[in-house]
Amino acid sequence: MQGEATLRLLDKADKEIQKLPRVVKGAIYEFQHDFRKNPDARGLRLKQLQGHTRLYSARISAEYRALLLHAGSRDYILVAVRHRKDVYDNLDRYQYKINDVTGAIEFVDLVSVEENVST
């Protein structure tokens, strides 16, 4: 399945990206452009994460991966950027569901929530 896709950026992910080195930010910008153009391009290595129906990873660079939430059809949300060795760790920390009232996808990093509650 080829063609253009929609890729939105979760606010929390955007804040995390701002803390990354400039060269990584540039790679993320290029990744977003390439992903929107064709998410199935071989170099992006889009793959569904084991045990998750909507969570995917894709290659940003040799060192970094995008964590993506599939919102339906050709729509994705970039929810986090992780070092390639960390992207598969603790996948059970992420929860997502469809809000019954608004129909919006809600995404929660449980570890982040726990850290904020305990401080």
Side-chain angles (χ1 to χ4, degrees):
M1 183 177 188
Q2 291 191 335
E4 292 187 1
T6 301
L7 178 63
R8 290 174 277 156
L9 185 62
L10 192 68
D11 287 341
K12 183 178 179 336
D14 187 42
K15 289 175 185 166
E16 290 176 355
I17 289 167
Q18 294 307 314
K19 297 174 186 174
L20 295 171
R22 173 175 251 128
V23 68
V24 178
K25 290 180 198 175
I28 294 168
Y29 176 80
E30 285 184 39
F31 164 80
Q32 290 179 74
H33 174 76
D34 293 344
F35 189 90
R36 286 181 179 116
K37 188 174 176 184
N38 181 8
D40 300 311
R42 289 183 78 133
L44 297 177
R45 300 180 188 165
L46 178 66
K47 63 181 178 179
Q48 186 176 2
L49 296 176
Q50 216 171 18
H52 291 272
T53 57
R54 292 183 184 249
L55 209 50
Y56 288 73
S57 73
R59 184 180 194 269
I60 292 173
S61 69
E63 296 296 316
Y64 285 88
R65 302 292 182 267
L67 195 57
L68 305 164
L69 187 62
H70 185 218
S73 187
R74 303 290 282 170
D75 297 327
Y76 293 85
I77 303 167
L78 195 156
V79 296
V81 173
R82 298 283 183 257
H83 192 275
R84 66 181 171 83
K85 66 180 180 179
D86 300 328
V87 76
Y88 305 107
D89 293 343
N90 303 317
L91 289 176
D92 57 340
R93 72 189 270 176
Y94 301 110
Q95 293 286 323
Y96 46 88
K97 67 176 189 157
I98 305 295
N99 183 304
D100 294 333
V101 176
T102 65
I105 292 179
E106 296 176 347
F107 182 83
V108 179
D109 179 340
L110 297 173
V111 172
S112 178
V113 169
E114 189 174 289
E115 288 171 355
N116 288 332
V117 169
S118 61
T119 54

